[in-house]
Amino acid sequence: MDDDSSLIGRRLKQTGGLLLGGAQKQVKDYKGKFESLRGVYDEFLSKLLTSYHSAKFNPTFVDKFFGKRKLRFAGLDGTVLKYDVFDLLIFFAGAYPAFGEIEIDDKGESKISYDEKFLEHGVGISSVLPVYISEVPQIDQTLLVRSENGEVDHSISYSDSWVVDNSAFADFMMGLSEFFLGYQLVSSENPVDILLHDRVFSSEVASFYAETSDFRLDLDHECGLIGYKIDGRPLTKTEWVYARRLFGNINIGTPAARGEFLLPRIIIELMNAEGNSLTRDELVERMGLDNEFRHARLDKELKKGIRGTGEAEGVFVRNKEYFVLKPQFRDLKKRMGKLVDDVCGRIFSTDPEISYEERFKVNGRWLTTSDLAFLSLMALYLTIEKCWENHILLVGVAKDTSARDLKRQVLPVLNFVGRFQGGFTDRREDTPDTDRMILQWVSLQEREKLKVPWATVEYDTAFKTIVPHLERTPGLVSGARRNQIALEKTFLKSYFQLCQASSEPKLRSNVLLYDRLVYPEFENQSSNIVFLKHDYENRPDFPEPVEVIFYEGQENQIQSFILPLFKAMTSMSIPELFGHLKPLYIADKIAKYHFGQVQGMIASTGNWLMNRPDLREFLFYLSSFRERRSSHEQSRRNT
């Protein structure tokens, strides 16, 4: 039959034409967007891109930061599996490390080696949870439909296939496994000196912080950890509420005494004060509150800290002129460390005698995705504390990114406050959508001027939550969402590109990004800080200060170490490793190996159940219509 004469043929031809035409238009539009970038390198981007083409390690910095020349590093990656067998949904997740050493000599040259017996010597962790599909909405808070005030709509029902397709419990398990393993590697007797994650820390903190908000959750009914006994004392809702907010480094002035961080900063000041008590005047001096409006906000937060707010009770009391932290909250950080060790140690235990219910239930209640998010946040906080304490370099690397904050937040804000000139505002939507695509094209076009490896100057990840003032008042900024600005001077971000093919200079590796921890001893200088004024409560006459790090025009010792390190860790001989990091590449291969083994094990379990004569009749009714149909179709194809 002639395709042109048949209805099916005409429809297929029409669909193909639409597909080809749409693809051609998209390609043409994107080529036009790239053309709009001509000249931006000389105009302003050259000031934001630094080449490390001939850079070596600085032995003086290595000695000062690490205190030694032979450095042990680890790269971490995770794997996740979600598999339905009859009426069960099986969640599996794990995290696995790859180890190595890099030695730096007096001339800045390096020698790098990797542990080749990673499968035998690995210290990966994993866990598995089989649960009835009908019970998944009880443990997976991401499936719940909530109103604006956070209340759950219980009238909505879910089909089994929808639950299977949309459940994120295994993803939360994987995140927890990675952060708990990272915490183990920096807190062991022989901690690593450099820890690489396949994660963007600033995004993970923001995500877990939102997932665990007491204004979003019903802590009594949606969190299995509440009531868990730590050294005989139950975890309270107040501890949950404040543990997630008490994050920062007093040596660099974080959390800042502004916005939503003012009360947590007061509590941290009391934790660090002699006798855990301070007067109002002492708090004003320690936090640098310099005007009457900020003094009034302090008084408001002090009242809130005494009477409590939301799900939290008061955390300190007033004794004459002193504000005194209650005894039960003075060891809150130690209790969180004990909580993570206990609960995560049980979830990922290698003891086969510990059942899945003992791993994932507390006092008969399931741990939920909110609990896993809270444990992940605490594990990450604890890891960061150890990295600050022992000068461990903590870096997260993202392979694929759709980020556009350099284009949409960083440059517009810096232009608006007069700190930098040049951006993409005039070009508007005529430029590529993502920072990665912009930098990839510029690197290709300016390859004679911009040698690999190169990186953008590091900038504070708090920029991602800052926009020019909503009322366009000169010199002021606003929060990007609900006028909130994230914690500054904690993580720095940079895009980078590592290599190009020796036979074809136009063939360069992908632009990736990293974010890494800020280290007060090396970065708390006014020369690399941009002072912004945040109109927090619609009082432009009394803005709150926001101090963000921006390294344009400044020497950056840590980035000058990271780029040669990354260059030493990449390879031109392995196609998948071109422009990426070998420790993360090896960790990914280890994770995929374990994924394959577990996937085969779970599939075999299903086959074993199906072939049990004593269960055949029962399983016929237990399996769904889709499963029976799929089984018949598979049998027909194989015969």
Side-chain angles (χ1 to χ4, degrees):
M1 182 181 293
D2 186 357
D3 284 346
D4 290 334
S5 64
S6 70
L7 178 62
I8 294 176
R10 289 196 301 273
R11 287 184 175 176
L12 288 175
K13 185 175 181 179
Q14 180 187 32
T15 301
L18 289 171
L19 177 62
L20 181 60
Q24 288 175 334
K25 185 178 186 306
Q26 291 293 326
V27 171
K28 182 179 178 180
D29 289 347
Y30 234 76
K31 286 179 69 176
K33 289 184 176 184
F34 282 128
E35 288 300 314
S36 72
L37 293 174
R38 290 197 179 276
V40 297
Y41 180 79
D42 290 329
E43 183 183 334
F44 67 90
L45 267 185
S46 59
K47 295 181 287 186
L48 299 177
L49 303 176
T50 304
S51 175
Y52 291 89
H53 176 56
S54 58
K56 297 181 180 180
F57 292 100
N58 181 348
T60 303
F61 168 78
V62 174
D63 292 339
K64 185 177 180 182
F65 190 93
F66 297 103
K68 54 186 174 181
R69 296 285 181 85
K70 181 180 285 188
L71 309 175
R72 185 167 175 260
F73 59 80
L76 289 184
D77 203 358
T79 188
V80 62
L81 176 63
K82 182 171 55 176
Y83 199 101
D84 57 312
V85 178
F86 302 115
D87 207 26
L88 290 175
L89 188 54
I90 299 173
F91 300 115
F92 169 81
Y96 306 92
F99 294 103
E101 285 187 343
I102 184 167
E103 189 169 3
I104 299 165
D105 64 22
D106 291 335
K107 296 180 180 179
E109 302 287 350
S110 65
K111 182 174 65 176
I112 193 167
S113 62
Y114 296 90
D115 186 347
E116 296 182 355
K117 297 183 178 181
F118 41 79
L119 287 178
E120 293 88 344
H121 298 165
V123 291
I125 60 174
S126 63
S127 193
V128 62
L129 171 64
V131 62
Y132 286 113
I133 293 176
S134 59
E135 291 185 320
V136 172
Q138 300 177 32
I139 66 173
D140 191 340
Q141 309 297 325
T142 65
L143 298 176
L144 302 179
V145 177
R146 299 179 185 273
S147 62
E148 283 291 327
N149 60 7
E151 292 184 2
V152 178
D153 187 345
H154 293 288
S155 65
I156 297 177
S157 59
Y158 312 92
S159 67
D160 288 355
S161 60
W162 189 90
V163 171
V164 172
D165 292 340
N166 292 281
S167 174
F169 191 86
D171 300 291
F172 279 80
M173 282 176 61
M174 181 177 70
L176 178 58
S177 68
E178 291 183 41
F179 291 122
F180 181 56
L181 179 57
Y183 173 52
Q184 288 182 315
L185 292 178
V186 300
S187 59
S188 64
E189 292 185 4
N190 297 303
V192 296
D193 302 297
I194 302 167
L195 181 59
L196 303 171
H197 269 266
D198 193 15
R199 296 268 179 170
V200 179
F201 297 119
S202 54
S203 299
E204 297 294 338
V205 168
S207 175
F208 291 139
Y209 188 81
E211 291 285 346
T212 55
S213 169
D214 56 307
F215 293 104
R216 184 178 179 275
L217 299 172
D218 180 350
L219 294 180
D220 287 317
H221 301 99
E222 297 178 29
C223 301
L225 285 175
I226 301 299
Y228 179 81
K229 290 188 177 181
I230 309 169
D231 291 333
R233 208 169 86 220
L235 175 71
T236 66
K237 292 186 289 185
T238 302
E239 289 179 305
W240 174 293
V241 168
Y242 285 107
R244 55 186 284 279
R245 300 175 66 186
L246 299 183
F247 172 56
N249 190 320
I250 206 72
N251 295 321
I252 204 170
T254 59
R258 61 164 183 84
E260 62 176 331
F261 302 110
L262 181 52
L263 181 54
R265 175 61 181 272
I266 294 170
I267 297 171
I268 288 178
E269 291 288 355
L270 293 175
M271 283 181 167
N272 287 276
E274 184 178 351
N276 302 113
S277 66
L278 292 168
T279 66
R280 179 182 182 275
D281 290 342
E282 288 172 333
L283 286 167
V284 167
E285 182 180 358
R286 285 179 179 232
M287 296 188 293
L289 306 181
D290 55 4
N291 59 56
E292 60 189 57
F293 178 71
R294 299 184 73 191
H295 292 176
R297 282 216 60 226
L298 171 63
D299 292 333
K300 186 188 301 183
E301 296 301 312
L302 287 172
K303 291 178 181 177
K304 190 183 296 183
I306 292 174
R307 71 170 183 268
T309 175
E311 296 277 12
E313 65 178 77
V315 291
F316 48 81
V317 297
R318 184 163 188 172
N319 184 7
K320 297 181 180 178
E321 72 270 24
Y322 285 93
F323 295 90
V324 185
L325 191 65
K326 292 181 179 178
Q328 63 266 38
F329 301 115
R330 295 173 187 178
D331 61 346
L332 181 57
K333 289 188 177 182
K334 290 183 179 179
R335 280 173 59 78
M336 292 305 103
K338 181 69 172 174
L339 175 72
V340 169
D341 287 337
D342 288 354
V343 179
C344 294
R346 192 173 68 247
I347 291 175
F348 301 109
S349 173
T350 58
D351 185 354
E353 298 299 319
I354 301 178
S355 69
Y356 75 90
E357 286 199 344
E358 292 174 295
R359 294 170 188 263
F360 290 96
K361 282 188 175 182
V362 172
N363 298 327
R365 294 174 58 189
W366 284 110
L367 293 177
T368 67
T369 50
S370 300
D371 294 309
L372 301 187
F374 182 80
L375 291 168
S376 298
L377 190 63
M378 293 302 103
L380 183 51
Y381 284 178
L382 292 165
T383 300
I384 289 170
E385 294 281 354
K386 286 294 182 181
C387 290
W388 275 328
E389 179 183 341
N390 299 318
H391 278 190
I392 297 170
L393 184 62
L394 181 64
V395 185
V397 179
K399 296 187 290 292
D400 301 307
T401 173
S402 58
R404 48 181 63 90
D405 47 83
L406 182 63
K407 171 186 174 182
R408 293 192 176 183
Q409 275 91 36
V410 179
L411 293 179
V413 167
L414 292 174
N415 276 262
F416 188 73
V417 300
R419 171 60 178 81
F420 186 83
Q421 290 186 345
F424 303 99
T425 305
D426 295 337
R427 294 169 173 80
R428 298 196 171 133
E429 299 303 320
D430 295 331
T431 55
D433 295 330
T434 66
D435 296 338
R436 181 181 68 84
M437 293 303 296
I438 291 172
L439 295 171
Q440 196 92 32
W441 188 90
V442 169
S443 172
L444 173 64
Q445 297 298 313
E446 306 293 345
R447 57 189 177 277
E448 295 300 324
K449 300 176 184 177
L450 185 61
K451 303 296 183 181
V452 291
W454 59 261
T456 62
V457 297
E458 292 181 333
Y459 59 87
D460 206 306
T461 57
F463 270 114
K464 296 190 290 185
T465 61
I466 305 174
V467 294
H469 190 246
L470 297 176
E471 302 297 327
R472 308 304 292 182
T473 304
L476 297 184
V477 298
S478 298
R481 186 171 184 271
R482 296 182 180 178
N483 202 20
Q484 299 287 351
I485 294 177
L487 191 64
E488 71 267 40
K489 295 192 293 186
T490 304
F491 300 108
L492 298 182
K493 176 179 175 179
S494 174
Y495 296 94
F496 67 96
Q497 188 177 50
L498 291 182
C499 50
Q500 67 183 31
S502 55
S503 58
E504 177 51 75
K506 290 185 179 181
L507 182 58
R508 290 191 161 188
S509 60
N510 283 351
V511 171
L512 312 179
L513 73 80
Y514 74 81
D515 74 346
R516 55 93 174 172
L517 191 58
V518 168
Y519 295 87
E521 301 90 330
F522 295 87
E523 323 198 71
N524 197 17
Q525 296 92 27
S526 59
S527 59
N528 54 36
I529 292 177
V530 178
F531 298 88
L532 302 176
K533 298 177 181 179
H534 181 202
D535 180 9
Y536 181 61
E537 291 191 334
N538 296 319
R539 290 294 302 270
D541 48 336
F542 287 111
E544 294 190 331
V546 179
E547 301 178 4
V548 287
I549 296 176
F550 179 54
Y551 263 108
E552 186 262 334
Q554 304 294 325
E555 180 186 4
N556 189 337
Q557 297 181 75
I558 296 181
Q559 187 178 67
S560 297
F561 175 84
I562 289 175
L563 262 292
L565 175 70
F566 284 0
K567 180 64 176 178
M569 288 179 169
T570 193
S571 172
M572 304 290 286
S573 60
I574 305 175
E576 308 99 294
L577 196 52
F578 182 57
H580 193 40
L581 308 185
K582 192 171 182 178
L584 294 177
Y585 169 77
I586 296 174
D588 174 68
K589 295 302 179 187
I590 300 172
K592 286 178 177 175
Y593 169 81
H594 285 275
F595 173 90
Q597 297 297 307
V598 173
Q599 185 181 40
M601 188 185 310
I602 293 174
S604 298
T605 301
N607 291 332
W608 178 80
L609 288 171
M610 289 178 63
N611 290 286
R612 286 285 301 274
D614 55 327
L615 296 178
R616 190 166 297 161
E617 182 177 320
F618 172 72
L619 292 176
F620 177 82
Y621 292 103
L622 182 62
S623 60
S624 67
F625 174 80
R626 285 198 316 160
E627 289 172 329
R628 291 201 297 272
R629 182 180 63 185
S630 176
S631 176
H632 290 310
E633 290 173 344
Q634 183 68 33
S635 298
R636 190 175 294 114
R637 283 193 295 268
N638 293 337
T639 56

